[in-house]
Amino acid sequence: MADFDFTPLGVAEKGNSFLEVAKRTFRENRKSAFPHIVDLGVESGPLTFLVDHATELFLKAILQASGRSERRLRQFRGFAYLEPEPEKPSRRPRSSGRAHNLEFLFRLSRRAIGGEAFDSALDERLGSHRYFREDHVIFTEPVERPNHEDYFQHLRMLNANFDRPFPARYFQRGVKTLPDSELLLVGADFLKLTFDRNFISVCKTRGRKGDE
């Protein structure tokens, strides 16, 4: 049986497992000739699933390392983000379903890291990445140099794809707008680096003290 590590380090390590498989899946699902994507089913199903879980786990690792308990993090799924008051998220009514909410986790993580400093670092990471579309003409992907606002819009689309019913498991008729997986992969990689730079040494120090 597997012994899961629910410490911030353990959660981040599991997030990295999803991220590495997502990166490999992305590379294998791209080709230089039109239509560039090998299999849309992989894009809308497994790749979306992997990117979502990598993102969720890194956000939770950041928040847990910032002082939120694992139990509290489980409850965060019951929150909704209200557009008029971005700094004051509120609980969903008890009668509503418990939503998978990456938007809320992202905003809390941004506040935990430092708001505008977080945005600037994300802008730099997004802007410095060489995207697949730069080598192959693709018109359906984000702006030439995306920033944190572009990322958040695609994060919203990713979040919507995991609302009920979960389309990667319960297929429905009709056309769906998919988020840009490469942009989200760069974002997930940024979250990993953010955790490593801000918390990994602190978490290891806490772990050593806990063993004494």
Side-chain angles (χ1 to χ4, degrees):
M1 291 182 65
D3 183 17
F4 295 110
D5 181 0
F6 292 106
T7 66
L9 286 175
V11 174
E13 183 179 355
K14 188 165 289 295
N16 193 51
S17 298
F18 278 99
L19 178 60
E20 290 304 312
V21 178
K23 288 179 179 178
R24 187 164 65 247
T25 302
F26 175 84
R27 290 193 299 268
E28 293 174 353
N29 203 43
R30 288 294 187 277
K31 60 180 181 179
S32 58
F34 181 83
H36 305 296
I37 296 175
V38 176
D39 187 345
L40 280 172
V42 170
E43 194 82 7
S44 62
L47 183 55
T48 303
F49 179 91
L50 291 165
V51 176
D52 177 275
H53 281 283
T55 301
E56 178 189 7
L57 289 166
F58 286 129
L59 290 172
K60 288 185 174 179
I62 290 170
L63 290 171
Q64 193 173 340
S66 300
R68 272 78 173 185
S69 68
E70 179 203 343
R71 181 179 179 181
R72 184 64 170 157
L73 282 171
R74 292 174 184 270
Q75 296 173 347
F76 280 171
R77 292 178 57 220
F79 283 79
Y81 169 65
L82 294 183
E83 192 72 43
E85 298 182 277
E87 300 303 321
K88 296 180 180 180
S90 66
R91 282 191 181 279
R92 288 177 178 268
R94 289 185 177 274
S95 58
S96 67
R98 291 171 65 82
H100 178 106
N101 203 317
L102 293 175
E103 295 179 45
F104 185 83
L105 295 175
F106 179 80
R107 289 189 179 276
L108 286 181
S109 297
R110 177 184 177 277
R111 282 164 50 187
I113 298 300
E116 292 183 3
F118 180 89
D119 293 342
S120 297
L122 179 54
D123 287 346
E124 182 178 353
R125 182 69 184 91
L126 294 171
S128 63
H129 176 74
R130 185 170 182 84
Y131 294 87
F132 179 86
R133 70 185 186 289
E134 293 181 38
D135 297 316
H136 310 286
V137 180
I138 298 177
F139 298 101
T140 57
E141 298 191 31
V143 293
E144 184 177 352
R145 277 289 173 262
N147 59 25
H148 64 277
E149 293 180 354
D150 300 308
Y151 172 79
F152 187 70
Q153 292 306 314
H154 284 265
L155 185 71
R156 276 185 162 172
M157 283 191 276
L158 180 65
N159 197 62
N161 273 274
F162 278 76
D163 203 351
R164 297 176 183 177
F166 180 18
R169 292 199 304 254
Y170 306 106
F171 298 104
Q172 294 178 309
R173 293 184 181 277
V175 177
K176 290 190 178 295
T177 301
L178 293 174
D180 181 77
S181 52
E182 187 173 11
L183 179 62
L184 290 167
L185 279 170
V186 177
D189 198 53
F190 166 79
L191 294 174
K192 176 189 182 304
L193 292 173
T194 298
F195 176 83
D196 290 349
R197 290 170 180 168
N198 290 276
F199 300 110
I200 197 166
S201 60
V202 175
C203 290
K204 286 181 177 180
T205 301
R206 288 176 187 167
R208 286 194 293 268
K209 289 182 178 179
D211 293 336
E212 293 175 355

